[in-house]
Short mmCIF file of all heavy atoms in Angstrom, two decimals:
data_model
loop_
_atom_site.label_atom_id
_atom_site.label_comp_id
_atom_site.label_asym_id
_atom_site.label_seq_id
_atom_site.Cartn_x
_atom_site.Cartn_y
_atom_site.Cartn_z
N ALA A 331 37.84 124.05 68.09
CA ALA A 331 36.71 123.26 68.55
C ALA A 331 35.44 123.72 67.85
O ALA A 331 35.16 124.92 67.79
CB ALA A 331 36.57 123.39 70.06
N ASP A 332 34.68 122.77 67.35
CA ASP A 332 33.40 123.04 66.69
C ASP A 332 32.36 123.27 67.79
O ASP A 332 32.17 122.42 68.66
CB ASP A 332 33.05 121.82 65.82
CG ASP A 332 31.83 122.06 64.96
OD1 ASP A 332 30.90 122.77 65.41
OD2 ASP A 332 31.78 121.50 63.85
N HIS A 333 31.69 124.44 67.74
CA HIS A 333 30.77 124.78 68.84
C HIS A 333 29.31 124.61 68.47
O HIS A 333 28.41 125.03 69.21
CB HIS A 333 31.02 126.23 69.30
CG HIS A 333 30.77 127.25 68.23
ND1 HIS A 333 29.50 127.59 67.82
CD2 HIS A 333 31.61 128.00 67.47
CE1 HIS A 333 29.57 128.49 66.86
NE2 HIS A 333 30.85 128.75 66.61
N ARG A 334 29.03 124.00 67.31
CA ARG A 334 27.64 124.02 66.83
C ARG A 334 26.66 123.33 67.76
O ARG A 334 25.48 123.67 67.78
CB ARG A 334 27.56 123.44 65.41
CG ARG A 334 27.93 124.50 64.37
CD ARG A 334 27.98 123.92 62.99
NE ARG A 334 29.03 122.93 62.89
CZ ARG A 334 29.39 122.35 61.74
NH1 ARG A 334 28.76 122.65 60.62
NH2 ARG A 334 30.36 121.45 61.72
N MET A 335 27.15 122.36 68.55
CA MET A 335 26.27 121.68 69.51
C MET A 335 25.75 122.62 70.60
O MET A 335 24.80 122.30 71.31
CB MET A 335 27.03 120.55 70.20
CG MET A 335 27.22 119.32 69.36
SD MET A 335 25.67 118.45 69.11
CE MET A 335 25.44 117.77 70.77
N LEU A 336 26.41 123.79 70.77
CA LEU A 336 26.06 124.65 71.89
C LEU A 336 24.99 125.68 71.55
O LEU A 336 24.51 126.39 72.44
CB LEU A 336 27.32 125.36 72.43
CG LEU A 336 28.17 124.50 73.36
CD1 LEU A 336 28.87 123.38 72.62
CD2 LEU A 336 29.20 125.35 74.08
N GLY A 337 24.65 125.78 70.28
CA GLY A 337 23.50 126.59 69.90
C GLY A 337 23.74 128.08 69.69
O GLY A 337 22.79 128.86 69.75
N PHE A 338 24.98 128.48 69.45
CA PHE A 338 25.21 129.90 69.16
C PHE A 338 25.13 130.17 67.67
O PHE A 338 25.41 129.29 66.85
CB PHE A 338 26.58 130.35 69.69
CG PHE A 338 26.60 130.51 71.18
CD1 PHE A 338 26.95 129.43 71.99
CD2 PHE A 338 26.25 131.71 71.77
CE1 PHE A 338 26.95 129.56 73.37
CE2 PHE A 338 26.25 131.85 73.14
CZ PHE A 338 26.60 130.77 73.95
N GLU A 339 24.77 131.41 67.36
CA GLU A 339 24.66 131.86 65.96
C GLU A 339 25.97 131.66 65.21
O GLU A 339 26.00 131.10 64.12
CB GLU A 339 24.31 133.37 66.00
CG GLU A 339 24.06 133.99 64.68
CD GLU A 339 22.58 133.90 64.31
OE1 GLU A 339 21.82 133.16 64.97
OE2 GLU A 339 22.21 134.56 63.36
N ASN A 340 27.06 132.12 65.81
CA ASN A 340 28.37 132.02 65.15
C ASN A 340 29.48 132.15 66.20
O ASN A 340 29.20 132.28 67.40
CB ASN A 340 28.52 133.09 64.06
CG ASN A 340 28.32 134.49 64.61
OD1 ASN A 340 28.84 134.81 65.69
ND2 ASN A 340 27.60 135.33 63.90
N ASP A 341 30.71 132.13 65.73
CA ASP A 341 31.88 132.14 66.63
C ASP A 341 32.00 133.43 67.45
O ASP A 341 32.37 133.39 68.62
CB ASP A 341 33.17 131.88 65.83
CG ASP A 341 33.42 132.91 64.74
OD1 ASP A 341 32.45 133.52 64.24
OD2 ASP A 341 34.59 133.11 64.38
N VAL A 342 31.65 134.56 66.82
CA VAL A 342 31.79 135.83 67.53
C VAL A 342 30.77 135.90 68.68
O VAL A 342 31.11 136.30 69.80
CB VAL A 342 31.62 137.02 66.55
CG1 VAL A 342 31.62 138.35 67.30
CG2 VAL A 342 32.73 136.99 65.50
N GLU A 343 29.54 135.44 68.40
CA GLU A 343 28.51 135.41 69.45
C GLU A 343 28.95 134.52 70.62
O GLU A 343 28.82 134.88 71.79
CB GLU A 343 27.18 134.88 68.89
CG GLU A 343 26.50 135.82 67.91
CD GLU A 343 26.29 137.20 68.51
OE1 GLU A 343 25.71 137.26 69.62
OE2 GLU A 343 26.73 138.19 67.90
N LEU A 344 29.47 133.34 70.27
CA LEU A 344 29.91 132.42 71.32
C LEU A 344 31.03 133.06 72.14
O LEU A 344 31.00 133.04 73.38
CB LEU A 344 30.39 131.09 70.73
CG LEU A 344 30.95 130.16 71.81
CD1 LEU A 344 30.32 128.79 71.74
CD2 LEU A 344 32.45 130.06 71.78
#
Side-chain angles (χ1 to χ4, degrees):
D332 187 326
H333 62 73
R334 278 175 296 187
M335 284 290 288
L336 279 70
F338 285 90
E339 184 90 348
N340 57 43
D341 59 334
V342 174
E343 291 305 308
L344 176 129

